[in-house]
Amino acid sequence: MSVTSLDDAGYRDTGPATRRAAPGALLAGALGNALEWYDFAAYGFLAAIFAKNFFPASDAFVGLIAAFGIFAASFLMRPIGGVLFGHIGDNYGRRPALFLSAAMMTASTVAIGLLPTYATIGALAPVLLLLLRLLQGLSIGGEYTTSAIFLAENAAPGRRGLIASFAGCGASGGTLLGSMVGAVTAMMMSTDDLIAWGWRIPFLLGIVLGGFTLYLRNAAIEHAPPRPGRAKGAKVELPLRMALRSDGADMLRAAALNLTLGAGFYLLFVYLTTYMQQVDGLTQRLSLQINTISMIAVLVLAPLFAALSDRVGRKPVILAGLAGMVLFSWPLFRLLESGAQGALLGQLGFAVLTACYAGPIPATLVEMFRPGARCTALSLSYNVALGLAGGTAPMVAVYLVNREAFDMGPAVYLIGISLVSLAAALTLKERSGASLT
């Protein structure tokens, strides 16, 4: 029998035993991330084609910068989405926040696949593309963090790192799926057909993943144990105000930790397909195949590193991954420049370092915040960092490589970002296995 207690934020803790969801609910919590990152990945992988279809053809560089600029603009909506869905998650429960974010992403993904191009409607085409990307940025603002919180809150303390890592695995799985669909689409048609209409296929297929996600979330999470409710008579305070008042320092620390997660992920597993084509001269098909293999490595290794953090603590594993990014980014980028085999080995090296760092991160972030404003505090800090570092990373890399002719610019940028996250990780308090209430 569990003892009901009241925390300082006015929530009842019904005990961990009554708050463990069935496997179906955990799958539903993780699966939405696959949908969210599937679309973001598909757009990044096909950025060069979007540049040709949605912007004037007079300057290829300007078109590519504009395509990645729209990619970056969607990230600016993520902090707003974090506040919105954090408020819903903290005040009305995890389920409505998870369901609404998945529905919004499904609708906007399919709509992108139906958009007319610049050749058809002129300047209105990039405007509509921008609006849909902003809507996607809003929806993704609450998805990853809310699902990580849902998974962590419903996991046994000794397996919290492993279970919460499924949120990241969903993201990696979605990116992998986007890469695979992009690679298969490129393999099955000519370049002209891919530019003319084939690029629409990955986005239209989003309705399948989105529909399954919505069905599973409605069926599974509906029957999952409810989140702790407000105690009768407790003072009601806006989650955003509570987060800023009580968790401001940890929000800054979490944002610094997530800088490498954002910049590294979108630089190494979205932009690199373009980098390998421009610097190495690899075909789009081969670069997507290499990226797919690397994403499989992340998907397999991240839960293993997360499980390791359940045994030895989050901090040592995270520090190892970040230190590796600082020490090995330069030589790994050198490998990327040495042909197809070197590109594969280089990106696999980055896959190992990313998994080491990213695997324990979801549980680490959840453990940093108290339950009263956990969704809001985590969503806002995470999405501010992703907006600053993740959304701009491909655009910065394109500028350094194309305009400054500095092929190693992305490596220097990644090293600088990793140093900031490493400094934040050194100040972490170890809370693996501690009560979340």
Side-chain angles (χ1 to χ4, degrees):
M1 172 182 274
S2 63
V3 178
T4 301
S5 60
L6 186 66
D7 70 16
D8 59 357
Y11 284 84
R12 291 193 184 279
D13 175 20
T14 56
T18 62
R19 285 170 35 214
R20 291 181 195 162
L26 297 180
L27 177 61
L31 190 60
N33 283 295
L35 167 67
E36 311 282 351
W37 265 263
Y38 168 82
D39 172 79
F40 267 62
Y43 183 91
F45 296 145
L46 298 172
I49 293 177
F50 273 93
K52 295 176 181 178
N53 277 318
F54 284 87
F55 301 96
S58 56
D59 190 328
F61 168 73
V62 171
L64 189 58
I65 279 288
F68 276 124
I70 287 183
F71 182 86
S74 64
F75 279 74
L76 299 179
M77 295 296 290
R78 292 178 65 144
I80 300 174
V83 173
L84 172 64
F85 288 103
H87 182 87
I88 295 171
D90 284 325
N91 277 324
Y92 303 103
R94 314 311 189 209
R95 177 183 176 272
L98 288 169
F99 190 89
L100 182 59
S101 66
M104 192 180 295
M105 178 58 86
T106 301
S108 52
T109 298
V110 175
I112 286 178
L114 298 172
L115 276 180
T117 63
Y118 187 90
T120 303
I121 60 172
L124 185 58
V127 171
L128 292 175
L129 178 62
L130 175 61
L131 291 175
L132 288 173
R133 294 294 297 172
L134 292 177
L135 186 61
Q136 290 179 323
L138 187 70
S139 68
I140 203 173
E143 174 61 41
Y144 174 82
T145 51
T146 305
S147 61
I149 289 168
F150 176 81
L151 292 169
E153 289 178 342
N154 288 279
R159 300 183 65 203
R160 187 183 300 145
L162 174 61
I163 298 299
S165 73
F166 294 155
C169 288
S172 299
T175 308
L176 169 63
L177 188 60
S179 177
M180 290 177 63
V181 171
V184 170
T185 303
M187 288 172 59
M188 294 181 65
M189 61 183 62
S190 67
T191 301
D192 289 341
D193 286 341
L194 184 65
I195 294 172
W197 58 269
W199 64 269
R200 299 181 184 274
I201 293 175
F203 298 94
L204 295 177
L205 288 177
I207 196 170
V208 178
L209 180 59
F212 182 62
T213 299
L214 292 171
Y215 167 77
L216 198 59
R217 285 189 168 178
N218 184 62
I221 297 182
E222 182 179 9
H223 305 295
R227 122 196 203 285
R230 288 272 182 197
K232 186 176 181 180
K235 181 181 177 181
V236 177
E237 184 176 4
L238 286 175
L240 178 59
R241 180 178 298 175
M242 185 188 303
L244 294 174
R245 174 177 57 82
S246 303
D247 297 309
D250 278 329
M251 289 174 68
L252 290 174
R253 183 178 291 108
L257 276 174
N258 281 303
L259 288 175
T260 302
L261 189 66
F265 191 86
Y266 288 99
L267 194 64
L268 299 174
F269 302 105
V270 175
Y271 165 73
L272 272 194
T273 57
T274 300
Y275 182 89
M276 285 185 280
Q277 294 170 56
Q278 292 181 336
V279 176
D280 264 350
L282 303 184
T283 64
Q284 184 176 47
R285 181 182 305 176
L286 183 55
S287 62
L288 284 171
Q289 290 171 344
I290 291 173
N291 197 75
T292 298
I293 294 171
S294 301
M295 287 306 307
I296 291 173
V298 173
L299 194 60
V300 171
L301 292 174
L304 298 180
F305 283 115
L308 178 63
S309 77
D310 283 325
R311 299 181 64 87
V312 304
R314 317 274 184 243
K315 190 171 180 177
V317 182
I318 290 173
L319 287 175
L322 287 171
M325 284 289 190
V326 173
L327 294 174
F328 298 114
S329 286
W330 185 277
L332 288 175
F333 261 93
R334 281 296 186 197
L335 264 179
L336 289 169
E337 295 180 333
S338 59
Q341 186 175 5
L344 175 60
L345 292 175
Q347 198 171 18
L348 282 174
F350 277 124
V352 174
L353 296 175
T354 299
C356 183
Y357 164 61
I361 277 289
T364 303
L365 295 173
V366 175
E367 290 165 345
M368 290 173 67
F369 300 106
R370 286 167 285 191
R374 180 173 287 146
C375 275
T376 300
L378 179 47
S379 294
L380 183 57
S381 57
Y382 173 82
N383 285 295
V384 166
L386 268 286
L388 290 173
T392 58
M395 193 163 55
V396 170
V398 167
Y399 178 81
L400 291 173
V401 172
N402 290 50
R403 270 295 186 258
E404 299 299 323
F406 185 24
D407 291 349
M408 293 301 292
V412 175
Y413 179 72
L414 183 58
I415 290 170
I417 291 288
S418 299
L419 282 170
V420 176
S421 295
L422 182 62
L426 289 170
T427 68
L428 275 176
K429 295 180 181 178
E430 184 63 63
R431 297 201 69 239
S432 57
S435 171
L436 290 181
T437 59

